[in-house]
Amino acid sequence: MERMVTIIDGHNLIPKIHGLSLDQPDDENRLIELLQNYSRVRRKNIEVFFDRAAIGRAGSYMAGTVRVTHVSERTTADESILQRVLKAGKRAQELIVVSSDHHIQNQTRALGAKTQSSEQFASELYSALSDAQTSNPVQTSDRRLSEEEIRDWLDFFNSEPPTKYSNKD
């Protein structure tokens, strides 16, 4: 079975995500968190590339199910994405490159990869996360504790620890 890999130009996608901005100090981490949720919900393989890595911070790592690559200042995310597609060779047809940069779209398409605009992907991301939230709402309880339950919890938390856990000798 063919397993598609979605390769994302992170800094190209961030401005397309409601609530995210390239001006935010934690923009990359917030995007990675969204991508982790999307990857889990849609069972997709995701790779995200960010350029302008801080000195000494360039490299790749796994953040849950998402492969994150911080590209050194000597190159760009676009160039790294092109290299990733080129390296895939005939398997480039198993890649979807997410970027609204027409130059990247044209070059990766010429190498055999599929492309998707950042706007289209953002829409798909919203839809997937919205569907997941609707089908799996967080269960919250507005039930009030009874007086007896409150006393039990107070007794529990105010009691002395069992002797075997006590540091009294």
Side-chain angles (χ1 to χ4, degrees):
M1 183 176 134
E2 189 176 296
R3 185 73 169 156
M4 299 297 288
V5 176
T6 303
I7 298 173
I8 299 169
D9 179 344
H11 288 148
N12 188 271
L13 178 60
I14 286 171
K16 313 300 190 240
I17 303 288
H18 180 72
L20 288 185
S21 163
L22 293 170
D23 296 333
Q24 295 168 316
D26 63 342
D27 60 345
E28 293 175 359
N29 289 331
R30 291 177 65 196
L31 178 62
I32 291 166
E33 189 176 310
L34 287 172
L35 294 174
Q36 288 172 324
N37 290 331
Y38 172 80
S39 172
R40 180 182 46 77
V41 168
R42 290 287 163 96
R43 300 190 185 286
K44 301 268 187 181
N45 290 328
I46 304 285
E47 296 180 16
V48 62
F49 288 76
F50 297 106
D51 42 21
R52 299 183 301 272
I55 295 172
R57 296 283 312 233
S60 295
Y61 63 93
M62 291 301 294
T65 56
V66 176
R67 173 167 293 286
V68 179
T69 300
H70 291 279
V71 180
S72 81
E73 67 281 350
R74 287 175 283 174
T75 188
T76 64
D78 291 352
E79 282 300 316
S80 294
I81 290 169
L82 282 173
Q83 287 302 312
R84 168 69 174 89
V85 174
L86 191 60
K87 198 163 90 175
K90 292 180 181 179
R91 299 194 75 173
Q93 63 192 12
E94 298 173 13
L95 305 176
I96 301 170
V97 175
V98 174
S99 177
S100 290
D101 182 322
H102 294 294
H103 179 68
I104 285 295
Q105 288 178 344
N106 292 335
Q107 286 192 299
T108 56
R109 218 179 287 124
L111 293 170
K114 296 169 183 61
T115 61
Q116 185 176 26
S117 73
S118 292
E119 293 85 357
Q120 290 170 320
F121 183 81
S123 178
E124 188 178 309
L125 179 76
Y126 293 136
S127 176
L129 298 180
S130 175
D131 290 350
Q133 199 167 22
T134 303
S135 64
N136 267 341
V138 176
Q139 297 296 320
T140 58
S141 175
D142 291 334
R143 182 179 78 79
R144 296 182 65 82
L145 295 175
S146 70
E147 289 294 322
E148 183 180 355
E149 289 172 313
I150 292 172
R151 275 193 305 278
D152 288 344
W153 282 114
L154 286 172
D155 288 345
F156 177 79
F157 285 109
N158 290 327
S159 66
E160 289 289 318
T163 314
K164 72 178 192 176
Y165 296 113
S166 174
N167 51 0
K168 296 177 186 173
D169 289 321

